[in-house]
Amino acid sequence: MNSTDVHIEENGPRDGLQNEKGAFTLQERVHLIDHLSRCGFPRIQVGSFVDPRRVPQMAHTDKLFQLIHRNPHVTYSALILNRHGLQRAVDCGVEHLSTFASASEAHSLKNNNCSVEKGTERVVSLITDCRERGVRVQAGVMSVFGCQTEGAIPIDRVLAMVSRFLEAGAEEINLADTSGFANPRQLKEVLLEVQGICSLPLRLHLHDTYGFGMANIYAAWEMGIRRFDTSCGGLGGCPFIPRASGNLPTEDVVHFFEAMGCSTGIDLGELVTVVAGLETKLGRTLPGRFSHLPSFDVSKPACIPTR
Amino acid sequence: MNSTDVHIEENGPRDGLQNEKGAFTLQERVHLIDHLSRCGFPRIQVGSFVDPRRVPQMAHTDKLFQLIHRNPHVTYSALILNRHGLQRAVDCGVEHLSTFASASEAHSLKNNNCSVEKGTERVVSLITDCRERGVRVQAGVMSVFGCQTEGAIPIDRVLAMVSRFLEAGAEEINLADTSGFANPRQLKEVLLEVQGICSLPLRLHLHDTYGFGMANIYAAWEMGIRRFDTSCGGLGGCPFIPRASGNLPTEDVVHFFEAMGCSTGIDLGELVTVVAGLETKLGRTLPGRFSHLPSFDVSKPACIPTR
């Protein structure tokens, strides 16, 4: 991976589908992941090992891991929130996991049914367990950039959480803009602080709630961030924050970076067929732009002025 | 205007409405402009003086200027493309005009039925005429960042056009991303070149075709650009480029800048009621985000982390 290269983790099968009311069958989820596996993603978040009563769309993620056709170039990851989820993930041989705690007391209570402190402890303990079991683990902070209920989040709280995740042995830190409140100026301030205490790669999980997503991606890229979560077609968001959908459309972010001369390794043509398949299944147009516009030469997405 | 302040020219009544199939009556256009006049915009592009056979939505702009209720804090502007349009504008006492030529041969032929050279000459001559008649004039270059037919545009061509507009006496230069092809990296390169020859204020007219609009706004802001064209609700685009709608939604751009701590002088609450009115008239949801989300405290749009 060159310094200009960008690492996209595809979150559609997890963060995308968990926000869809129409259920996807297990076979449809397998088909989606297998198709994404042919697009060149370095990592795909396949699903989550959470309570199926709370997130029915993510039931049977165990079986999913057995049924997908693994591409050796792809890391297949999943989300866990507690030890039970970790056990289920380990039982089906998952090699990479993500786990998150919220920096907002209000959101933590809603999403994880615990305080920020308790959620942080839980993540620390999960990181330790993952390391003991030889599973690579990314740890993340949700609601870093503000919370609909709580408002602004003290940066020191975020830094304390990140420090503890680093000490516990997380291999990557993820900062999530759960409410979509981040703006580039604030994002840069926060990144500067976090970069000051964290020498590990940082990843951003940005929501496009207010239309600031791509500007935030760019601001982060300027700050040296090269890892982003996105969702094919623009599926997704957090089901516990009303209307806080959704993730940035993967194809638009890939197009954006390729236009700027950064390589993602992702085949845009193939990805567009994934989005088309999702739209057929869902019976509606997804928010991504690239797949709906007359495609000019995909190999030359940028119109860099020439002399 | 402080250095952090941002000057938004509202383009909805012109660039927005000219792309709407459902005709707005003259009275509906008056109502829209009068409502926008109460939002705090420093400038509103009321309409264009162009051939009503080509752009029927812009017919009777002369009458419009007689019927609107002028707010003394607002500059009411219009678009012209030729001397006939200028005469019509002068006849109804318009104080500020914009005129554009395209930097793409293909787009120039389609949009203005002439070569780039001929279009440039026409704009130069219009600037001279405006100055003679005491009308303030902004001159712009369309398709600066690439053209769907022609591809990349040589930067020297753009610079030559800007130079000639400056020599002729334009008071402001506008760079338009007609196809929505601009990306922040390229935009900054182009801005650097144009800023190198132009000491006048630059304005950007960005289209959000590929979802790069807000990132481009931010990149331009970083380069010191403080003037932008937007369209309430996100109406608009160029009718001669298929699907090249549209302008960035004004309310989202205002929200974006206010979140970053920059003042626009625009009343977001009032603007949301303009968008709601447009949606009722059009019978569909417009693409802007801000007006459709639960409004948290508009006076504190940013969640800047605190210590």
Side-chain angles (χ1 to χ4, degrees), chain A residues 119-139:
Chain A
T120 304
E121 276 171 26
R122 202 181 278 167
V123 166
V124 165
S125 150
L126 285 171
I127 296 168
T128 311
D129 290 350
C130 281
R131 283 169 57 88
E132 281 171 7
R133 286 153 178 261
V135 180
R136 291 163 54 205
V137 61
Q138 169 191 238

Side-chain angles (χ1 to χ4, degrees), chain A residues 130-201:
Chain A
C130 281
R131 283 169 57 88
E132 281 171 7
R133 286 153 178 261
V135 180
R136 291 163 54 205
V137 61
Q138 169 191 238
V141 184
M142 290 187 281
S143 295
V144 170
F145 304 94
C147 165
Q148 261 150 330
T149 313
E150 203 165 315
I153 301 298
I155 182 75
D156 285 344
R157 196 189 292 168
V158 175
L159 294 175
M161 292 171 76
V162 170
S163 292
R164 290 173 69 184
F165 298 165
L166 290 170
E167 274 170 37
E171 72 165 38
E172 192 182 25
I173 298 294
N174 190 315
L175 304 178
D177 182 20
T178 314
S179 292
F181 279 6
N183 69 71
R185 203 168 180 175
Q186 170 214 30
L187 182 74
K188 283 189 169 183
E189 286 172 19
V190 171
L191 285 176
L192 201 64
E193 298 267 7
V194 177
Q195 285 169 329
I197 63 157
C198 176
S199 58
L200 286 187

Side-chain angles (χ1 to χ4, degrees), chain A residues 1 18 38 87 97 166 178 193 221 234 256 294:
Chain A
M1 191 170 162
Q18 81 174 25
R38 297 194 292 275
Q87 188 57 52
L97 288 168
L166 290 170
T178 314
E193 298 267 7
W221 180 82
F256 181 76

Side-chain angles (χ1 to χ4, degrees), chain A residues 230-253:
Chain A
T230 59
S231 178
C232 52
L235 283 166
C238 177
F240 304 110
I241 295 184
R243 305 191 67 172
S245 59
N247 289 195
L248 278 157
T250 306
E251 63 278 18
D252 291 349
V253 174

